[in-house]
Amino acid sequence: MKHFEIAVIPGDGIGKEVVPVSLKVLDTVAELHGGLKFIYKEFPWSCEYYLEHGQMMPEDGLETLKNFNAIFLGAVGNPQIVPDHVSLWGLLIKIRREFEQSINIRPAKYFKGLRSPLTNPNDFDLIVVRENSEGEYSEVGGRIHSGEDEMAIQNAVFTRKGTERAMKYAFELAKHRRGHVTSATKSNGIVHTMPFWDIVFNDVKKEYPDIETASYHIDALAAFFVTRPQIFDVIVASNLFGDILTDIGGAIMGSIGIAPAANINLNGKYPSMFEPVHGSAPDIVGKGIANPIGQIWTAKMMLDHFGEEELGQRLLDVIEEVTEDRFKTPDIGGTSSTHEVSQEICDRLLKSKALSKR
């Protein structure tokens, strides 16, 4: 029996609704496997926790989390009570940085049963590898002066180590997909960091002669995500560019509510963290209509991380079967509740187990 200890942080808003049903799906997957068990420990860290304690997590929060096999996160943020820069840097980004989760991966694909806003989605299936530790989201910079002389400076930091790490991850991923990597750049306008990015990309691709490559400026690449997403396989991008591209990826699928993400630690020193791309959606909290697919697809990515790719693929197949049969929440054109969608996924997983025993 394989045991995986999972730190569960439902977080804010609909995170508290979609995380519990996703854990039920994970338990159903474990039952389907027969030799797998998940052990959960839940932590109440959130904006409400901040109001009570003055911090998003306890001082020893990271020390508590570091011995788990993975972190399963819901949604972080409620700007009505805590500013976003406080909530994100106090929990989500703090975990990413301190646990050296240097890679963020987010897939997007044409999803059966979902109506893409694209006229011709052409069965696109892509994945963005986002450098997750530096780039445009560095903390280097500051503000000086006041009045009309007030000035803000934000420095982007690109190291060869961090850049190569993201690019090599993308190339390795492409070896198991369709064998193509696209680089997101802007070296015609950003005169230091992006030419550096291009140089490193050209160096790395020499190590992978069997992988085809392309390089596009980010403005053109964003347009191509809309006009011809089917041409892409793996895209590697800086922290900011990757963040923007993956929201477009969610949009062309039909809803950001179904988009998953994984924050990967590569050195094994700390756990990786899995979270949906969507926010806490305070406007629909308590209505029972939050889309659970983003969180459940995130669970699929966690299964892949644990080496259970076949099981993860079975889960994704079932999710698509369910949406194709119109078990969908209102944000993607359905009338089903959060519970009804997740329960249908569980029921079909168990049905497939029963059929396999015949």
Side-chain angles (χ1 to χ4, degrees):
M1 178 75 71
K2 297 180 183 178
H3 292 83
F4 294 105
E5 296 186 6
I6 312 298
V8 178
I9 308 175
D12 296 296
I14 62 169
K16 297 176 182 179
E17 300 175 18
V18 297
V19 166
V21 298
S22 299
L23 297 182
K24 184 177 179 182
V25 171
L26 271 173
D27 286 336
T28 305
V29 167
E31 183 179 344
L32 179 65
H33 182 280
L36 195 60
K37 183 175 178 61
F38 296 106
I39 302 167
Y40 309 116
K41 172 71 174 178
E42 186 170 318
F43 298 94
W45 306 335
S46 62
C47 288
E48 291 178 359
Y49 183 93
Y50 180 89
L51 291 182
E52 184 175 352
H53 300 279
Q55 52 190 356
M56 291 297 293
M57 67 165 70
E59 293 294 335
D60 64 349
L62 293 175
E63 186 68 23
T64 300
L65 292 175
K66 74 177 185 180
N67 292 319
F68 285 87
N69 296 115
I71 301 165
F72 196 59
L73 179 67
V76 178
N78 186 346
Q80 296 175 358
I81 59 176
V82 179
D84 277 342
H85 70 277
V86 173
S87 60
L88 290 177
W89 282 90
L91 185 60
L92 173 63
I93 297 178
K94 186 177 181 66
I95 295 172
R96 284 178 178 175
R97 296 289 171 90
E98 298 292 331
F99 281 178
E100 300 176 21
Q101 295 169 349
S102 58
I103 303 294
N104 180 272
I105 53 177
R106 298 181 178 182
K109 67 189 293 292
Y110 178 66
F111 218 85
K112 295 176 183 176
L114 264 65
R115 184 177 180 180
S116 170
L118 303 180
T119 303
N120 295 303
N122 292 316
D123 292 332
F124 66 88
D125 183 354
L126 58 89
I127 188 163
V128 176
V129 175
R130 168 189 173 193
E131 198 292 313
N132 204 36
S133 63
E134 50 184 41
E136 304 89 349
Y137 290 178
S138 81
E139 298 175 71
V140 180
R143 294 171 65 172
I144 57 174
H145 307 313
S146 61
E148 66 178 15
D149 293 323
E150 188 173 11
M151 180 185 300
I153 298 173
Q154 178 74 48
N155 292 331
V157 176
F158 286 74
T159 65
R160 178 171 282 272
K161 179 180 179 181
T163 304
E164 280 188 348
R165 187 167 49 200
M167 291 175 176
K168 288 182 178 180
Y169 191 95
F171 275 91
E172 290 295 329
L173 191 59
K175 285 163 62 174
H176 304 285
R177 287 174 53 91
R178 301 194 304 278
H180 192 283
V181 176
T182 299
S183 169
T185 185
K186 189 56 182 171
S187 50
N188 64 343
I190 301 175
V191 299
H192 296 301
T193 56
M194 285 293 105
F196 173 77
W197 175 278
D198 292 347
I199 289 169
V200 176
F201 185 74
N202 287 328
D203 288 345
V204 171
K205 75 179 185 180
K206 293 173 185 175
E207 302 177 31
Y208 298 88
D210 295 332
I211 302 296
E212 295 182 9
T213 63
S215 180
Y216 294 104
H217 294 304
I218 185 61
D219 42 355
L221 182 53
F224 292 157
F225 259 48
V226 175
T227 57
R228 40 178 162 160
Q230 73 279 2
I231 72 171
F232 298 112
D233 180 19
V234 179
I235 301 97
V236 62
S238 67
N239 214 331
L240 175 62
F241 292 174
D243 198 3
I244 294 169
L245 287 173
T246 51
D247 272 20
I248 299 174
I252 62 176
M253 283 194 290
S255 171
I256 201 169
I258 71 169
N263 301 282
I264 304 297
N265 170 275
L266 296 176
N267 59 29
K269 290 168 59 179
Y270 304 105
S272 295
M273 179 167 63
F274 301 84
E275 52 164 333
V277 175
H278 65 68
S280 60
D283 56 317
I284 61 168
V285 170
K287 297 182 179 180
I289 59 172
N291 193 334
I293 290 178
Q295 192 78 52
I296 297 171
W297 193 351
T298 295
K300 181 267 185 195
M301 296 184 76
M302 187 167 68
L303 288 169
D304 293 342
H305 181 69
F306 289 150
E308 299 293 340
E309 291 93 345
E310 185 176 342
L311 204 58
Q313 186 59 51
R314 178 62 191 136
L315 174 56
L316 186 59
D317 290 344
V318 167
I319 294 171
E320 282 201 87
E321 291 171 12
V322 166
T323 58
E324 192 173 20
D325 289 343
R326 303 193 61 77
F327 288 90
K328 300 184 291 187
T329 48
D331 63 305
I332 51 175
T335 58
S336 300
S337 67
T338 306
H339 172 76
E340 288 169 340
V341 172
S342 59
Q343 187 60 52
E344 185 66 21
I345 292 170
C346 289
D347 290 345
R348 295 193 185 208
L349 285 167
L350 292 174
K351 183 178 179 181
S352 69
K353 179 184 179 182
L355 290 173
S356 67
K357 287 183 175 180
R358 291 182 179 177

